[in-house]
Amino acid sequence: MKYRSLLYLLVAALFVTSFAVTDLSAQNDMTRDEWEQQMAEYTQQRDELRQQLDALEAEIEELNEQIASKQAEYQACREEILAMVGATEAEIRSLVERIQQLENQVSALERLSDQELLQRRDEVDEVKEAVNELKGNRQTAHPDTYDRLMALDERVNNLLDRLEGMVITYTVGTWSRDRDCLWNIAKKRDIYDNAWLWPRIWQANRDKIRDPDIIHPGQRLQVPPKGDGRMTSGEQDAANRYYREVREGLR
Amino acid sequence: MTLIKKVMTHVLVIITISALIMGCARRPSAEELAQLEDLRAEVAALEREIESKEGERSSLQQQVSELDQNLRTCAEDKEKVRQRLQQWD
């Protein structure tokens, strides 16, 4: 009886062990054949992926080499251009900044009304002078500056054209017949109707009038519009200089 | 003696039946399953790495393409500068 109990216990233990081992596999619901098949598939996939990875790494290395080589080539090309115009990177940067300043200035001028623009005619002339100076510098042939400078020049020329459109021409008559001097011309009703604005005509014709007391019959003078009747700072400075010279007896 | 013999016979029969049951199931062992799991993880890691490398390759190809364009532009610029300087001289 004792041995029989032992026997049943042994049988039970064996069954439990057997099911425990079987259950471990049953969790994955996989037979050995399936396991072998999956092992084979995954092994093949792993090998293929490793090959693919190796190929990719080789390709990446080659691309990195290409990039390094092309960067060096590009740098050499840039340096060659710098050498052609005789400038350093810093000098080109400085020119670009200068052009940027002028572009901003021109943008501000472009936004002005005709009257306001006329008041700031001197500024337009200064910008034009600065642009011409830059155009004379061979360093501006550099691609970073050339096209921008040309575009800027065109914009300044447009401003000058705008100003030109506001200017009329007056032909000086004789003193005996017309009593023409800058004071009298400015005083005319169809000119400024304000004799004190005579420096405006002088300043608009600096190339023709060296001494504002002397103008000649037949001279064709540019007469800028009256605007709001106030002189620009340049015109005012010129007038002050003239009156001082008169006071000091230099005229 | 007879009882011992009888018990031994029973044990043998039970062992044989158990072995047959386990043998017929043909299940992989825990170690083998772990091996399969490692292999799966390795494949997944390789796939992720390849995906990352493909992204890197794509970015590098883009860089090469941009550099080619820059080089073409630079060559054109050089020619333009040459022509401009001729006007200067």
Side-chain angles (χ1 to χ4, degrees), chain A residues 3 11 14 25 30 32-33 35 38 42 45-46 50 59 70 77 80 135 137-138 141 146, chain B residues 3 11 14 26-28 32-33 35 39-40 42 47 50 57 68 74 78 81 84-85 88-89:
Chain A
Y3 284 112
V11 169
L14 277 167
S25 303
M30 182 186 281
R32 185 161 193 82
D33 287 343
W35 177 83
Q38 285 200 16
Y42 278 115
Q45 202 176 343
R46 182 198 58 192
R50 276 180 181 167
E59 208 175 332
K70 284 177 193 291
C77 179
E80 205 177 326
K135 281 170 73 182
N137 180 351
R138 61 184 280 140
Y146 186 81
Chain B
L3 186 62
V11 168
I14 289 162
R26 283 174 52 84
R27 301 289 183 190
E32 286 168 333
L33 284 172
Q35 195 185 343
L39 197 53
R40 271 187 190 144
E42 193 182 351
E47 279 172 344
I50 283 171
R57 179 182 63 180
D68 281 339
C74 194
K78 205 160 64 177
V81 169
R84 282 171 204 153
L85 290 175
W88 239 284
D89 297 334

Side-chain angles (χ1 to χ4, degrees), chain A residues 50-69:
Chain A
R50 276 180 181 167
Q51 278 178 6
Q52 200 180 337
L53 187 62
D54 287 347
L56 266 173
E57 279 172 348
E59 208 175 332
I60 284 169
E61 196 181 329
E62 195 189 331
L63 282 168
N64 275 322
E65 282 168 12
Q66 271 187 40
I67 286 170
S69 156

Side-chain angles (χ1 to χ4, degrees), chain A residues 11-36:
Chain A
V11 169
L14 277 167
F15 264 106
V16 167
T17 313
S18 159
F19 279 116
V21 170
T22 315
D23 191 47
L24 202 66
S25 303
Q27 279 178 358
N28 289 281
D29 199 20
M30 182 186 281
T31 63
R32 185 161 193 82
D33 287 343
E34 285 169 344
W35 177 83
E36 279 171 4

Side-chain angles (χ1 to χ4, degrees), chain A residues 163-176:
Chain A
L163 283 166
E164 192 70 29
M166 300 177 215
V167 173
I168 58 168
T169 304
Y170 178 85
T171 304
V172 179
T174 60
W175 175 254
S176 56

Side-chain angles (χ1 to χ4, degrees), chain B residues 26-83:
Chain B
R26 283 174 52 84
R27 301 289 183 190
S29 67
E31 195 184 331
E32 286 168 333
L33 284 172
Q35 195 185 343
L36 179 63
E37 208 46 51
D38 287 348
L39 197 53
R40 271 187 190 144
E42 193 182 351
V43 165
L46 280 167
E47 279 172 344
R48 281 196 300 275
E49 198 175 352
I50 283 171
E51 196 179 340
S52 158
K53 292 282 178 191
E54 278 174 345
E56 191 182 347
R57 179 182 63 180
S58 173
S59 160
L60 292 173
Q61 282 170 336
Q62 176 73 23
Q63 277 186 53
V64 168
S65 171
E66 282 170 10
L67 275 167
D68 281 339
Q69 179 59 42
N70 286 348
L71 280 169
R72 276 194 295 274
T73 307
C74 194
E76 287 167 14
D77 283 346
K78 205 160 64 177
E79 185 51 37
K80 283 180 190 168
V81 169
R82 201 188 312 279
Q83 286 171 8

